[in-house]
């Protein structure tokens, strides 16, 4: 079965009121040089009012606060309510790693209750965003090396086959050190993002942090609650990640989750769309791969946009993140199985606009060999810093083979994308197994059918954090709270953030 997964990989409490915790180890103070900053809020470039932008200064190396500094971009959406109803500031991290927080707050986010009670703030973590994006040179050579082996099952790759890929990964890791600087890469990991977040809290004038973290952002929040429990008021950890395991172990877990979500979608398609090709008894992987092969030979058109197999796989993968995109994805697959070749255009265009319509006006990424920022550089750097990783290419080959067996459509490349970590420089790794024993009540949210962060990761985090409660959505999609699509989740978490009372542990919200 032909592999097209490179496109996929670039995507891939106690029931009491919130209150200051009991006795705890003394936490570090915000260094005097960085304490009491006043953010100079001003209009955001290329963004509409009432959004406001500013910067907060943090040390490059928190253990040497007198040394080099970084200016982190922050963005604020002021409260819509009167001052007397303001609870405080709610800091939001969109996930990643490598996703800029200053891209948040497009359109409606969170309920009117939350928009009244809080100023919403987000920030670009170190190494992320237009003002401080990490660059690792030309990533295309690494992508090309991966594509050269994409049509071969990893189990059939020998040392000669693997050498060019391993060499490309080594060159990429070396170029990242040379381009970004060894001192920057040494301090890029989540341990330092958490310490930055405490300086941001201080600059916002908040004695205790209100926080919502999605996906990787949930890891930032959990570490913050463990390190700064007395400075934590309320914390929502939505779609938790696993950083205790190695890069290849997490890749295998994610591969299984994507495959599970794909099979859930195929069943949804069969149950709701008359012409759905994923009929009972048919293997959805085989059916889809046949359509991908057909489109590679003769691409369909979506209002002038050529749709080949790789683009359709990318659209399918993206749609798995959002349950509301499942219906247009099912319609597109059904249209592609009809006899007349011009019929799929409308359905494909509807799917394309559903998934990518909000990307209009963004600058296109420069081509191979160009002088450009690498949108995956921060993701790779933080992942390699935060996780243990194998150091031999054959270990990745064996894991890629297992991933390909788990999911022929989504598998091997989810492992291969971590190969640069085999050659990465050392960086401070976050603690593992932490329990945040002195934190106030925390809320973990997870979806049973999450394709990107397996539900088991949210369950495990909730079990490990001593004061956490778990809210479960029985459906799919990646991240939940604030989108408005699951009222059961919205109402329970809103009440926690505003009033301080966490949901009942084990709250289960039915599939919508």
């Amino acid at each position: 079965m032909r592999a097209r997964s490179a496109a996929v990989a670039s995507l891939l409490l106690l029931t009491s009121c919130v209150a200051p915790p009991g006795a705890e180890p003394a936490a570090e103070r915000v260094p005097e040089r960085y304490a009491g900053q006043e953010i100079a809020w001003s209009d955001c470039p290329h963004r509409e009012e009432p959004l406001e932008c500013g910067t907060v200064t943090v040390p490059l190396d928190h253990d040497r606060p007198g040394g080099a500094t970084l200016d982190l971009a922050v963005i604020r959406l002021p409260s819509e309510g009167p001052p007397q109803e303001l609870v405080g500031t709610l800091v939001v991290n969109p996930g990643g790693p490598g996703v800029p927080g200053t891209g948040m707050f497009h359109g409606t986010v969170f309920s009117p209750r939350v928009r009244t009670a809080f100023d919403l703030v987000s920030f670009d973590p170190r190494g992320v965003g237009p003002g401080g994006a990490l660059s690792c040179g030309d990533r295309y050579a690494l992508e090309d090396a991966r594509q050269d082996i994409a049509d071969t099952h990893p189990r059939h790759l020998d040392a000669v086959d693997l050498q060019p890929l391993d060499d490309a990964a080594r060159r990429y890791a070396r170029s990242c050190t040379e381009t970004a600087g060894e001192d920057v890469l040494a301090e890029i990991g989540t341990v330092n993002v958490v310490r930055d977040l405490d300086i941001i809290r201080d600059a916002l004038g908040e004695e205790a942090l209100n926080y919502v973290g999605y996906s990787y952002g949930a890891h930032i929040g959990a570490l913050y609650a463990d390190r700064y429990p007395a400075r934590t008021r309320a914390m929502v950890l939505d779609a938790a990640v696993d950083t205790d395991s190695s890069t290849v172990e997490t890749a295998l877990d994610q591969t299984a989750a994507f495959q599970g979500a794909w099979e859930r979608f195929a069943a949804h398609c069969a149950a709701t769309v008359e012409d759905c090709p994923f009929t009972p008894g048919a293997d959805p992987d085989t059916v889809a791969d046949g359509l991908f092969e057909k489109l590679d030979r003769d691409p369909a058109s979506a209002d002038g946009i050529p749709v080949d197999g790789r683009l359709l796989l990318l659209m399918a993968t993206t749609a798995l993140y959002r349950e509301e995109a499942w219906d247009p994805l099912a319609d597109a697959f059904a249209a592609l199985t009809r006899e007349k070749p011009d019929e799929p255009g409308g359905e494909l265009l509807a799917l394309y606009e559903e998934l990518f319509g909000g990307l209009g006006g963004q600058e296109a990424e420069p081509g191979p060999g160009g002088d450009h920022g690498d949108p995956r550089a921060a993701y790779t750097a933080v992942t390699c810093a935060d996780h243990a990783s194998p150091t031999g290419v054959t270990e990745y080959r064996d894991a890629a083979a297992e991933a390909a067996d788990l999911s022929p459509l989504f598998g091997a490349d989810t492992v291969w994308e971590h190969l640069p970590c085999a050659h990465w420089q050392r960086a401070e790794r976050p603690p593992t197994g932490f329990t945040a024993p002195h934190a106030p009540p925390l809320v973990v949210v997870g979806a049973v059918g999450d394709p990107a962060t397996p539900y088991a990761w949210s369950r495990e985090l909730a079990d490990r954090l001593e004061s956490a409660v778990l809210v479960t959505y029985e459906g799919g999609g990646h991240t939940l709270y604030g989108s408005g699509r699951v009222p059961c989740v919205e109402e329970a978490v809103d009440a926690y953030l505003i009033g301080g009372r966490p949901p009942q542990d084990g709250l289960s919200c039915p599939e919508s």
Side-chain angles (χ1 to χ4, degrees), residues 243-248 383-390 429:
T243 58
D244 286 2
S245 302
S246 72
T247 50
V248 297
T383 299
C384 295
D386 280 6
H387 291 262
S389 295
R429 189 164 295 152

Side-chain angles (χ1 to χ4, degrees), residues 31 46 63 66 87 167 212 215 242 260 299 354 358 388 418 467 490 511:
H46 314 299
D63 293 330
V87 174
D167 289 344
V212 175
S215 196
D242 173 18
E354 170 73 25
H418 297 304
S467 62
E490 300 291 319
E511 185 172 8

Side-chain angles (χ1 to χ4, degrees), residues 25 55 76 79 85 114 117 128 154 180 191 241 276 365 373 457 509:
T55 59
R76 178 170 69 176
S79 162
E85 295 185 26
V114 169
V128 177
V191 168
V241 299
C276 176
E365 184 181 346
W457 292 355
C509 297

Side-chain angles (χ1 to χ4, degrees), residues 247-269:
T247 50
V248 297
E249 290 169 335
T250 58
L252 289 171
D253 285 349
Q254 287 179 305
T255 299
F258 263 106
Q259 184 64 22
W262 167 248
E263 292 172 358
R264 286 172 72 111
F265 159 73
H268 169 83
C269 177

Side-chain angles (χ1 to χ4, degrees), residues 453-479:
T453 53
Y455 173 67
W457 292 355
S458 291
R459 189 176 60 237
E460 290 163 4
L461 180 64
D463 287 344
R464 192 175 78 231
L465 299 178
E466 292 188 12
S467 62
V469 302
L470 177 63
V471 175
T472 297
Y473 172 53
E474 299 296 337
H478 179 55
T479 72

Side-chain angles (χ1 to χ4, degrees), residues 347-487:
E347 289 83 352
L348 286 172
L349 181 61
L351 175 62
Y352 189 91
E353 291 181 341
E354 170 73 25
L355 299 175
F356 308 128
L359 301 180
Q362 294 186 3
E363 294 184 3
E365 184 181 346
D371 182 13
H372 60 86
D374 175 0
R376 300 288 287 173
Y379 173 85
T380 300
V382 175
T383 299
C384 295
D386 280 6
H387 291 262
S389 295
T391 57
V393 67
T394 56
E395 295 172 89
Y396 289 85
R397 188 267 317 276
D398 294 344
E402 185 176 347
D405 291 340
L406 283 170
S407 178
L409 292 181
F410 306 107
D413 211 66
T414 60
V415 174
W416 289 130
E417 73 167 337
H418 297 304
L419 185 57
C421 295
H423 309 288
W424 212 256
Q425 71 169 65
R426 289 184 178 272
E428 184 178 3
R429 189 164 295 152
T432 59
F434 59 88
T435 61
H438 303 290
L442 313 172
V443 175
V444 179
V445 180
V448 170
D450 190 325
T453 53
Y455 173 67
W457 292 355
S458 291
R459 189 176 60 237
E460 290 163 4
L461 180 64
D463 287 344
R464 192 175 78 231
L465 299 178
E466 292 188 12
S467 62
V469 302
L470 177 63
V471 175
T472 297
Y473 172 53
E474 299 296 337
H478 179 55
T479 72
L480 293 165
Y481 176 63
S483 66
R485 67 186 180 92
V486 185

